[in-house]
Amino acid sequence: MKQVGNPLPKVLGRRAAGGGLEAERESFERAQTVSINKAINTQEVAVKEKHARTCILGTHHEKGAQTFWSVVNRLPLSGNAVLCWKFCHVFHKLLRDGHSNVLKDSVRYKNELSDMSRMWGHLSEGYGQLCSIYLKLLRTKMEFHTKNPRFPGNLQMSDRQLDEAGESDVNNFFQLTVEMFDYLECELNLFQTVFSSLDMSRSVSVTAAGQCRLAPLIQVILDCSHLYDYTVKLLFKLHSCLPADTLQGHRDRFLEQFRKLKDLFYRSSNLQYFKRLIQIPQLPENPPNFLRASALSEHISPVVVIPAEASSPDSEPITDLVEMETASQSLFDNKFDDIFGSSFSSDPFNFNSQNGMNKDDKDRLIEQLYREIGALKEELESFKAENERRTLQLRGRISELEAELAEQQHLKQQALDESEFLRTELEELKKQREDTEKAQRSLTEIERRAQANEQRYSKLKEKYSELVQNHADLLRKNAEVTKQVTVARQAQGDVEREKKELEDSFQRVSEQAQRKVSRAHGTAGSSWGWGQVVGTGMGPHTPRDPPGYTRREAGECPTGASSGRPLSCPQSQEQAEVLEMLKQELAASKQELQVLQGTLESSTQVGAEQSTRIADLEQERDSLSQAAERHGEEMAALRAELQQLQDTLSSEKESSKKELETLQTQLQDKESMERTLQQRLTEEQFALLQGSAREAERMVQDALSRLEDPAHISCTGSADYLLSRTLAASECTERLQDAHRKYLSNRTDVSSLLPCVALFAHLISDTILQGSATSHMAPMEPADRLLEMCKQCGSEAMSYLSSLQDLDSVEGADCTPVTSCLSRISAIGEELRPRGLDVEQEELGDLVDKEMAATSAAIETAAARIEEMLSKARAGDTGVKLEVNERILGSCTGLMQAIQVLVLASKDLQREIVESGRGAASPKEFYAKNSRWTEGLISASKAVGWGATVMVDAADLVVQGKGKFEELMVCSHEIAASTAQLVAASKVKADKDSANLAKLQQASRGVNQATAGVVASTKSGKSQIEEKDSMDFSSMTLTQIKRQEMDSQVRVLELENQLQKERQKLGELRKKHYELAGVAEGWEEDATD
């Protein structure tokens, strides 16, 4: 797909000749609406190229995207995902290939696109996520181009335009790289999301639905190729300005995006759909090495090729573009002719019609110009030849240096790789040691747990013994209680038996009493009536009285017989005895019965108590039995747990023992390996030290050999620069000694010693060469001493470097002799310093103020003298001479005033510089710290004051008629040069935005104008004086004129010869002045720095 270039705006800018503007606008809007609706629809097919191209041409036609957004705002983009996807595709093409105002017209809809992106992001299937990510990409693209308006929509820029986009500021380049990373990240996210949404196992690229999803990736590929290219170039530029550690995050992010982009480009190039539409570039196998600056030359910008015949099957040819551009070009030519004219007869550069020179004069002028052109060509050819010769020499030297640099870089890379390998191995050993320490800690933990288990086992054993003892006590108590219950039951049985025996004996006694009573009744049968009477007389029987008991039985004598028969007394007596005896037995039986009843009651009570006690004992026995069962179960559980703990402890002891043996073996192996690697690392580090020391020794040897080189004899140097190099070498020597001591304390770390060795060799070589160059301008004796000391310093440095290469002598290596040699070189350099620089640094500040004050006083004195001369000229001169003198002295007065303004502005700027740069120090300390700048100010001030004085003297002589106008002009030019030196010395440390600097520059321009006025007035006065002395040859004959002509020719030759000699003398004087000024002001030192 070929893109239409710059002619597009011209083609689209042409309006139809017929019809009104409104009709044309309606037709345009109608056509755009139809094309937009055909391009953005709900059909899941790719956007047709002809509709998208019509939309792009429409933006160029109306120089914006108002019509596009007016149509799109009426589309239901939030209701149909396919419609939104195709809108994103078309809008992406408009941002890339549409008019530049498309971005401005679209920024106002950025928030709506963000809301729509969040809305579609809630759909996890179909086109939802695709639309969300695509809308985020478009928003990011709009923000990028808004922040960076120099980037066109299609991102096509040259390297110069890319540099201009960063405005040569490293901060801008840094921020621009971050924004490009974000931009490219959004592009890659869309790329990956589209691929993940397709079923790559089928030929999805030939289906309409697959092409609908893949079509926008063409725009993504175009963007990614440019973003990748610009990112690589910007990273190389950043690495040339910033440290590598600062850009570590940039490199990590670039590597991640490089891998993603390479994979996506490879997968895209294999799809059938892209093969006929676009030629996708392939990224290199490995990412660029930004740490190597020369790798930029190996970078090849990826170029995406769009075949012309594969733009789209639906594309329509544009037939009238050439015709329209031709018409537009013709219209442009007509406008050019109308403005500037087209007739060659009115050419303002036709010199033949303007000058009045005749043909001979023109021929001579042409011949003279041809001769000058020829001479210039020859001179140019000689310059070119010399330039080519020097270029070849420099290229050869550059090639040698590049080869040497490549070798050094190769050695450095090898050393870094070996160091990195050893560092990696050391890290692995450290990790293994940490693992071993962890294993030892775990073993200690296991032993601690085993000891805790043993303590727990002891406690459980003690508790088990206690439980066994308690169980035995409970069993004894149970036996005793059982025994007591048995005894109590036996006692209860005895009581019951006794009770039963008592009852039986009571029954027997009762029966015996009844038998006795019955027997007594049978014995006294006759006296039953009496007894009845007696019993009747006694009243009713008491409960204790036996039956038949009567008062008669008690011994009472009857008083009469109821039946009328008489009773005998002996029989009554016997009955009374029997009754008495019965009464006694009855009382004894009653008493015994009462005793038995009491015994029975006590036995019953004891039985009840025994029953209660037995019940309590039985309950206690049941509780003891349950407790015993519980203790038995607990003892069984404790036995099982104890056995388990014993088994676990024994297994853990065995495993810990095996693991300890294994870890001890591994630890021994690791320690031996670590010792081996430590030894190897020490050897490698010493090998690096040997290589560095060998290269350093070679560098010093090269410097010593160059001392005898004839080409080096022409080199010169200043004592100040030699002192600065010597001071730097002395400081480096001190750092080298410290690094050497650190290396001896730890021979596995040579990182601090290697840079010091390289810098030491460089500075020693530089000191030797500068010492030799300084000796070429020094007197004989100091020069010989300086050269000899430089050679001795080189030999001592080589001895020290040689000792660093030997393993046995590295400990005894000492660079103290080198330090002493440097001290002697410094002492000789101090002797060779120009005496003009012997001012104490504490006096520099006072000297600056004095010189500036002296300059101001000299200018004021010169202005006063000019005024005095002007008054004298007005009093003594008349006519042309007075006019000339007034003009010259007036211009000199103006020059003095301009110089005075310049000196005041220089003072103000100098005061501002001192106040802003001294910090907490005093002005004198600031002047002493910046002594070179201070000496420049002093020299410039002296030159200005001296120039003003000399110019006044020259003007005085010119006014008196004794001087030369040329001397006055030369003095004016010298003052202009001196003021330029003062301006340069003042502004070298000034802020570029300082108001005082602007005033100083304005004053400098005033001085230049005043100088030009002096030169112009001097030339004018000279011409007026020479016109007054016009030559008159009217009275001379031909022979006299010929004689005068010959004398004039001789005078011309003499003057030309004198002119040539004076020019050579002027050149030599300037050369010598430059050399002396360079030595005095340290220009060579500044140029070398």
Side-chain angles (χ1 to χ4, degrees), residues 746-884:
N746 182 16
R747 297 202 176 189
T748 60
D749 185 12
V750 77
S751 58
S752 60
L753 184 58
L754 292 181
C756 292
V757 170
L759 183 61
F760 171 76
H762 170 71
L763 293 177
I764 290 296
S765 302
D766 195 9
T767 303
I768 293 172
L769 294 176
Q770 290 301 324
S772 176
T774 305
S775 67
H776 295 159
M777 295 186 64
M780 184 66 66
E781 183 181 355
D784 293 340
R785 287 192 290 112
L786 179 59
L787 190 61
E788 185 65 27
M789 195 54 59
C790 289
K791 292 181 180 179
Q792 183 179 354
C793 180
S795 61
E796 293 293 344
M798 291 182 62
S799 301
Y800 174 71
L801 294 173
S802 299
S803 62
L804 289 180
Q805 300 177 32
D806 190 2
L807 188 60
D808 298 330
S809 61
V810 67
E811 293 184 1
D814 187 15
C815 59
T816 305
V818 180
T819 306
S820 62
C821 291
L822 291 174
S823 301
R824 295 174 187 173
I825 293 174
S826 299
I828 298 174
E830 289 290 344
E831 295 177 3
L832 296 177
R833 290 189 67 190
R835 290 295 171 261
L837 300 179
D838 290 340
V839 181
E840 294 293 334
Q841 289 191 348
E842 291 77 7
E843 302 176 5
L844 284 176
D846 298 335
L847 188 58
V848 171
D849 296 336
K850 291 179 182 179
E851 288 298 333
M852 295 299 289
T855 302
S856 300
I859 293 171
E860 291 176 358
T861 303
R865 286 184 61 189
I866 290 173
E867 291 292 335
E868 183 180 355
M869 286 188 290
L870 184 58
S871 61
K872 289 181 180 180
R874 287 173 180 172
D877 298 333
T878 58
V880 176
K881 187 175 181 181
L882 177 60
E883 182 183 353
V884 171

Side-chain angles (χ1 to χ4, degrees), residues 424-592:
T424 305
E425 289 188 351
L426 186 60
E427 291 293 333
E428 292 180 355
L429 286 175
K430 289 181 178 178
K431 290 181 180 178
Q432 292 176 358
R433 178 182 289 177
E434 291 177 358
D435 296 338
T436 305
E437 292 176 355
K438 289 181 180 179
Q440 289 180 349
R441 287 196 296 271
S442 62
L443 180 60
T444 305
E445 182 66 20
I446 291 172
E447 291 178 351
R448 187 182 62 79
R449 289 173 57 189
Q451 186 176 2
N453 289 333
E454 288 180 355
Q455 293 178 357
R456 186 180 178 187
Y457 172 72
S458 301
K459 292 180 180 179
L460 289 175
K461 190 173 182 181
E462 293 176 358
K463 189 174 182 181
Y464 175 72
S465 301
E466 184 179 355
L467 290 175
V468 169
Q469 186 66 31
N470 293 334
H471 185 64
D473 294 338
L474 290 174
L475 290 177
R476 285 194 295 273
K477 285 183 179 181
N478 190 15
E480 291 177 357
V481 170
T482 304
K483 185 176 181 181
Q484 290 178 1
V485 169
T486 304
V487 171
R489 285 180 177 176
Q490 290 178 357
Q492 185 178 6
D494 295 340
V495 169
E496 289 179 353
R497 282 195 301 273
E498 290 178 357
K499 181 180 179 181
K500 190 174 181 181
E501 291 176 354
L502 289 173
E503 289 178 351
D504 292 339
S505 61
F506 179 74
Q507 187 69 27
R508 286 194 303 271
V509 169
S510 299
E511 290 177 355
Q512 289 178 3
Q514 287 179 0
R515 283 195 301 270
K516 289 180 178 181
V517 171
S518 299
R519 190 171 53 248
H521 286 181
T523 306
S526 59
S527 57
W528 170 253
W530 176 83
Q532 191 176 4
V533 175
V534 172
T536 305
M538 290 296 292
H541 295 284
T542 60
R544 294 182 181 181
D545 292 337
Y549 178 82
T550 59
R551 192 171 299 274
R552 189 175 181 183
E553 290 178 356
E556 293 181 357
C557 292
T559 56
S562 57
S563 61
R565 289 180 298 180
L567 295 176
S568 61
C569 257
Q571 194 176 4
S572 300
Q573 187 67 31
E574 185 180 359
Q575 290 178 351
E577 291 175 359
V578 171
L579 286 173
E580 187 64 31
M581 184 181 59
L582 287 173
K583 285 181 182 180
Q584 291 176 356
E585 289 179 1
L586 182 60
S589 297
K590 286 181 179 181
Q591 186 177 1
E592 186 178 357

Side-chain angles (χ1 to χ4, degrees), residues 402 627-628 709 913 1072:
E402 287 181 349
D709 189 0
I913 293 171
K1072 190 63 178 178

Side-chain angles (χ1 to χ4, degrees), residues 570-741:
Q571 194 176 4
S572 300
Q573 187 67 31
E574 185 180 359
Q575 290 178 351
E577 291 175 359
V578 171
L579 286 173
E580 187 64 31
M581 184 181 59
L582 287 173
K583 285 181 182 180
Q584 291 176 356
E585 289 179 1
L586 182 60
S589 297
K590 286 181 179 181
Q591 186 177 1
E592 186 178 357
L593 181 60
Q594 289 176 356
V595 172
L596 288 174
Q597 285 180 351
T599 304
L600 181 60
E601 289 176 0
S602 62
S603 298
T604 303
Q605 186 175 1
V606 170
E609 291 177 358
Q610 290 293 331
S611 299
T612 304
R613 185 177 179 186
I614 289 171
D616 295 337
L617 290 174
E618 287 179 352
Q619 187 176 1
E620 185 177 359
R621 185 187 62 183
D622 294 338
S623 62
L624 289 175
S625 299
Q626 293 176 0
E629 291 177 359
R630 285 196 303 271
H631 282 87
E633 294 175 358
E634 188 174 355
M635 287 174 62
L638 289 175
R639 284 197 191 97
E641 186 177 359
L642 183 61
Q643 185 64 33
Q644 185 178 0
L645 286 174
Q646 287 177 348
D647 297 339
T648 304
L649 183 60
S650 60
S651 61
E652 285 183 355
K653 282 183 177 180
E654 293 177 359
S655 61
S656 300
K657 186 177 181 181
K658 293 179 181 179
E659 187 175 359
L660 180 60
E661 293 176 355
T662 305
L663 290 175
Q664 288 177 349
T665 305
Q666 292 179 357
L667 181 60
Q668 293 175 357
D669 296 338
K670 294 298 182 290
E671 287 178 351
S672 61
M673 185 182 296
E674 185 176 357
R675 286 193 296 272
T676 304
L677 291 176
Q678 195 81 6
Q679 182 66 26
R680 184 179 174 185
L681 178 60
T682 305
E683 294 174 358
E684 294 290 341
Q685 296 291 321
F686 185 71
L688 291 176
L689 178 59
Q690 281 183 327
S692 300
R694 193 178 301 112
E695 292 298 325
E697 185 179 4
R698 193 177 304 166
M699 189 182 300
V700 177
Q701 181 63 41
D702 180 67
L704 291 175
S705 62
R706 288 176 64 182
L707 296 180
E708 307 297 334
D709 189 0
H712 183 66
I713 298 176
S714 60
C715 297
T716 59
S718 65
D720 287 334
Y721 187 62
L722 174 63
L723 290 175
S724 66
R725 295 293 87 195
T726 307
L727 178 62
S730 301
E731 293 176 353
C732 179
T733 305
E734 294 177 0
R735 293 197 298 271
L736 180 62
Q737 289 179 342
D738 296 336
H740 187 205
R741 285 192 292 270

